[in-house]
Amino acid sequence: MNQPNPPGNIAPHIPADVYQRAQAAGQPVVIVVNDRPPAGVEWRRLLLPFAVAGATVAGGWGLVAALCFLLDAAAHTFTVIAGAAGPIGIGGITLRLARNRH
C-alpha cells in the first residue's frame, strides 16, 4: 500500500521525501512515540473520590446535628406537656411525669 503523503497528522517530524522513499521501496515506516505519564500524582483523578467522601462526611454530620436538634425539641415538648398535665393515674398507680420546681 503506497501512500503519497503521511496519513493524517500523526508524524509531522518525518520529512516527506524520506516517507515517500520508504513507501516506494516497500519498507515499513516505524514511528516511535515516547508517551510516558507525567511524574507525580494525578490530582484530577483523586479529586472526585475525595469530594464524594467529603460530601458524605458533611452530610453525615448534618444528619447527626438534625437528629440531635429534633430529639432535644421532642424532649422539651414532652416535659412541657407532662408538666401541664400533672400526675397520671391508672388503676390506683399514680405516675408523676415531671417534678414541680420549688
Side-chain angles (χ1 to χ4, degrees), residues 20-102:
Q20 290 173 355
R21 232 178 309 144
Q23 287 292 314
Q27 297 174 340
V29 176
V30 178
I31 300 171
V32 178
V33 178
N34 293 328
D35 188 24
R36 215 173 74 192
V41 178
E42 211 176 308
W43 292 107
R44 279 184 282 164
R45 187 176 58 135
L46 296 175
L47 182 64
L48 183 63
F50 277 112
V52 169
T56 302
V57 168
W61 279 109
L63 183 62
V64 167
L67 286 174
C68 288
F69 176 76
L70 287 174
L71 288 174
D72 184 50
H76 284 293
T77 304
F78 177 75
T79 55
V80 167
I81 291 172
I88 296 176
I90 298 174
I93 300 174
T94 302
L95 177 65
R96 197 165 75 185
L97 299 176
R99 287 188 252 150
N100 292 335
R101 296 184 186 197
H102 294 289

